[in-house]
Amino acid sequence: MVIYPMSIATVELLRVESPSIVPCHRDNPDLNNCIIKAVEDLRPLLATGELGEGYRSPPLEPLYLDNIELGRGRQFEAVFSEMVVKGGNFTGKYFMKLNILLLDIQGRGNMRGYCENAKALVKIRGVRVPMPDGLEYVRFTRLPLKINIDVFKLHLDNLFNGDRILGDVGNTIINDNQDLYLSEIIPGLERGLSKKFLDIANMMMANTTFDEMFPM
């Protein structure tokens, strides 16, 4: 899944010592665009986590996600766990109860799937935190994102207690009617990815001061 930072209210992902991250001077008259460009330059490096000396970031390729709760109410309930995401493809475990076209589809087991043309609108907010050493550090507090996915396909093993024929029918119905359930899946993905990326951003900036990110 590709994430595009489209609008950033407060982004501080910059440090002088790292050749891969260009600092933005705080008196820059075009500070917002400087920050956005720095993040865009950084984005391709997040796949490997090799961001330069002084930074720690787990690789995002593959991306590991767990306990993504999806759906609301009695019409749709699902949990995706042990997910491994590589590019637009993913594998993992699932539990699902879905009522679609008057058919009750239930199952628990392994899953695999892929998505195409997935984009996200990402914002990140942080605060300056004074420390006993007299320096100020940045801690990120929120990372809301909105996801848009054009194509989302699933194959769920063990639907209807492993009945092969009913399982094939269930998978076909699910994939032929993605618009009926994708709106229920996306909010859960947004919550899971938001928490994951917020943790990573704070890990990256754990030892970086505000003055290092935004020099005078």
Side-chain angles (χ1 to χ4, degrees):
M1 181 176 296
V2 181
I3 302 297
Y4 295 90
M6 301 292 290
S7 174
I8 302 174
T10 306
V11 180
E12 294 112 346
L13 298 180
L14 313 168
R15 186 175 182 181
V16 176
E17 290 88 343
S18 174
S20 61
I21 302 177
V22 179
C24 287
H25 290 266
R26 67 186 73 175
D27 59 355
N28 186 333
D30 198 17
L31 182 59
N32 284 341
N33 284 330
C34 177
I35 294 170
I36 291 172
K37 184 181 184 304
V39 175
E40 280 294 314
D41 292 342
L42 175 65
R43 182 161 56 87
L45 306 177
L46 295 175
T48 63
E50 297 177 359
L51 308 180
E53 184 180 356
Y55 284 87
R56 294 188 306 115
S57 175
L60 296 186
E61 184 82 7
L63 177 66
Y64 298 95
L65 299 170
D66 199 23
N67 293 324
I68 304 297
E69 297 184 5
L70 314 169
R72 299 182 298 270
R74 292 179 294 179
Q75 294 295 106
F76 179 68
E77 178 186 355
V79 177
F80 291 171
S81 60
E82 301 179 32
M83 290 184 67
V84 180
V85 183
K86 296 181 179 180
N89 300 292
F90 55 88
T91 60
K93 306 285 187 182
Y94 82 95
F95 163 76
M96 179 180 289
K97 291 182 179 180
L98 172 64
N99 183 277
I100 185 171
L101 302 180
L102 302 180
L103 179 65
D104 288 323
I105 300 175
Q106 299 186 30
R108 182 192 301 269
N110 295 322
M111 70 169 185
R112 61 185 182 276
Y114 66 92
C115 61
E116 295 178 355
N117 196 22
K119 298 180 180 179
L121 177 68
V122 181
K123 297 182 180 181
I124 185 168
R125 299 182 184 274
V127 296
R128 296 163 67 169
V129 179
M131 294 302 218
D133 59 9
L135 299 175
E136 284 188 323
Y137 292 80
V138 172
R139 294 296 178 264
F140 298 111
T141 57
R142 296 185 64 238
L143 196 154
L145 56 85
K146 292 294 182 182
I147 296 174
N148 181 73
I149 301 174
D150 284 349
V151 177
F152 189 89
K153 299 298 183 182
L154 288 171
H155 181 87
L156 306 176
D157 295 340
N158 202 42
L159 287 175
F160 300 102
N161 294 319
D163 186 293
R164 184 180 63 81
I165 294 176
L166 290 178
D168 289 344
V169 170
N171 276 296
T172 298
I173 291 175
I174 289 172
N175 288 308
D176 286 348
N177 296 275
Q178 74 166 32
D179 291 343
L180 298 180
Y181 69 87
L182 191 55
S183 62
E184 302 287 346
I185 285 179
I186 285 179
L189 289 175
E190 290 172 343
R191 290 190 297 270
L193 289 172
S194 176
K195 182 180 184 305
K196 181 78 171 182
F197 293 148
L198 181 63
D199 291 343
I200 290 173
N202 277 314
M203 180 187 301
M204 290 169 55
M205 296 296 106
N207 299 312
T208 305
T209 68
F210 180 80
D211 287 337
E212 288 173 324
M213 291 185 288
F214 292 101
M216 295 290 292

